[in-house]
Amino acid sequence: MEGNDLTEAARRLFAGRVEFLKSAPSLKFLPDPDVPEIAFAGRSNVGKSSLLNALTGRKAIARTSVTPGRTQELNFFEVGEPTRLRLVDMPGYGYAKAPLKVVEAWRRLIRDFLRGRVVLKRTLVLIDSRHGVKDVDREMLKMLDESAVGYRLVLTKADKIKASELDAVLAATQAEARLHPAAYPVVHVTSSEKGMGIAELRAAVLEDAAI
């Protein structure tokens, strides 16, 4: 599909049915692996819920919270009627105030999901433009590399910093992507608040789902 056609197809798909399906606190609660899935990962407070809302054109399909680390389960959202793909909101990582046992349980859930989910087509790893790639992000990238799950790096909150600073963060993030075998070479720059890069990311999700 050509670029413009893909963007329009993605717009139409996400303008239709998008519904929360279920939360899975462990693997036994996962939905049947019958449609492609795209997962979203990122540090707590990276703007994951806001990005999901922007992608789907909804105000509150994914809950936003002033308390980082609120998502402690795998949350599944169905897209299309009938369902053509699912979006998976993964637990936020790197939240210092979470108890160690909780953090370890999140890590185990994410790792097991990544390694065993045959319908997982791509993971989007969200990076806050204001901070760039941190060591805790690199841990996630390493986990994805080891699980052989292809992923895209997505800069969020791009409207919150100056253009010159954004250019530097983008260059550094692209350099980081080149260090990882499972990373897609193109880094996406987005702002949920301003709508920057949302249509392009939507098209990328459709392309990755191969539907």
Side-chain angles (χ1 to χ4, degrees):
M1 206 181 288
E2 295 292 326
N4 288 343
D5 293 342
L6 192 63
T7 302
E8 177 57 20
R11 187 196 67 76
R12 282 203 310 270
L13 178 63
F14 283 96
R17 172 181 171 263
V18 181
E19 286 181 5
F20 172 74
L21 173 64
K22 67 186 302 186
S23 293
S26 65
L27 297 189
K28 67 181 180 182
F29 295 103
L30 295 180
D32 291 338
D34 48 11
V35 295
E37 292 174 350
I38 305 290
F40 292 73
R43 279 204 319 276
S44 299
N45 218 17
V46 75
K48 191 148 48 72
S49 294
S50 297
L51 186 71
L52 277 163
N53 289 335
L55 275 177
T56 58
R58 268 68 175 178
K59 286 190 176 160
I61 190 77
R63 295 175 303 183
T64 52
S65 171
V66 291
T67 308
R70 183 168 169 178
T71 304
Q72 298 180 19
E73 303 171 336
L74 294 166
N75 291 314
F76 289 82
F77 302 87
E78 294 192 326
V79 181
E81 184 64 72
T83 304
R84 294 182 63 198
L85 73 121
R86 289 194 194 104
L87 307 179
V88 188
D89 184 8
M90 295 168 65
Y93 56 80
Y95 181 45
K97 291 183 184 174
L100 202 58
K101 275 187 180 176
V102 173
V103 172
E104 187 47 47
W106 294 357
R107 190 175 287 130
R108 195 163 52 245
L109 174 63
I110 290 171
R111 187 174 58 236
D112 292 348
F113 172 73
L114 292 174
R115 287 182 176 169
R117 196 66 172 167
V118 291
V119 291
L120 181 61
K121 299 299 184 185
R122 187 85 71 193
T123 296
L124 306 184
V125 181
L126 278 48
I127 306 292
D128 191 323
S129 294
R130 299 170 299 179
H131 307 303
V133 180
K134 298 288 190 187
D135 285 343
V136 69
D137 298 310
R138 291 186 182 94
E139 284 178 30
M140 184 70 208
L141 303 186
K142 184 168 181 272
M143 196 186 295
L144 285 158
D145 288 335
E146 289 170 352
S147 304
V149 175
Y151 55 92
R152 293 176 184 266
L153 295 178
V154 180
L155 291 173
T156 62
K157 306 183 183 183
D159 60 306
K160 305 293 186 191
I161 63 173
K162 294 175 185 171
S164 57
E165 292 172 6
L166 181 59
D167 288 342
V169 170
L170 176 57
T173 308
Q174 288 168 331
E176 183 73 38
R178 288 194 288 273
L179 301 175
H180 296 273
Y184 196 77
V186 175
V187 174
H188 293 264
V189 179
T190 68
S191 163
S192 300
E193 206 170 290
K194 305 292 186 186
M196 182 196 306
I198 298 300
E200 293 82 358
L201 188 60
R202 217 181 267 140
V205 164
L206 198 62
E207 183 180 10
D208 289 346
I211 55 173

